[in-house]
Amino acid sequence: MKNSALKGALGALAVVGVALVAKKVAQRKKFMKGIFEEYGIKEKSPFGLADKIREMNDEQYHELRGRFKKEFTSRCCRKDDACKA
């Protein structure tokens, strides 16, 4: 009986983990879709984004780069945190 309870708890934990990952993927997909729509990129691929970046001036590029950095940075450990692995 102990093993079945443990398996059930681990199964529930796995379902929660999968749900969190799915939520994060959906958020990032929504962010990328917004970038493609905002900059008028027809080809929804990394190549279309790269072509648009080549056409940008420095100011637009740095703005886009900052938005990507803000969205895709790891929130696990930062240099100013006490977490030092």
Side-chain angles (χ1 to χ4, degrees):
M1 287 294 173
K2 291 181 186 178
N3 286 339
S4 65
L6 181 63
K7 286 180 184 177
L10 289 175
L13 188 61
V15 169
V16 170
V18 168
L20 289 174
V21 168
K23 179 181 174 186
K24 189 66 172 179
V25 168
Q27 287 173 345
R28 289 187 174 191
K29 187 174 181 180
K30 183 178 178 183
F31 172 77
M32 289 303 298
K33 184 176 179 183
I35 292 291
F36 284 132
E37 288 177 3
E38 181 179 340
Y39 288 99
I41 302 170
K42 302 274 188 241
E43 183 181 349
K44 308 287 191 231
S45 72
F47 300 110
L49 182 61
D51 289 341
K52 185 63 177 181
I53 288 173
R54 282 189 212 106
E55 296 171 1
M56 292 179 173
N57 61 27
D58 286 340
E59 182 181 321
Q60 291 172 331
Y61 170 71
H62 289 296
E63 176 193 343
L64 181 64
R65 183 176 175 210
R67 289 176 63 191
F68 275 112
K69 273 188 163 182
K70 182 180 176 187
E71 179 67 25
F72 294 114
T73 55
S74 174
R75 290 165 184 86
C76 174
C77 292
R78 295 195 177 136
K79 291 180 182 176
D80 57 1
D81 287 346
C83 175
K84 296 197 171 140

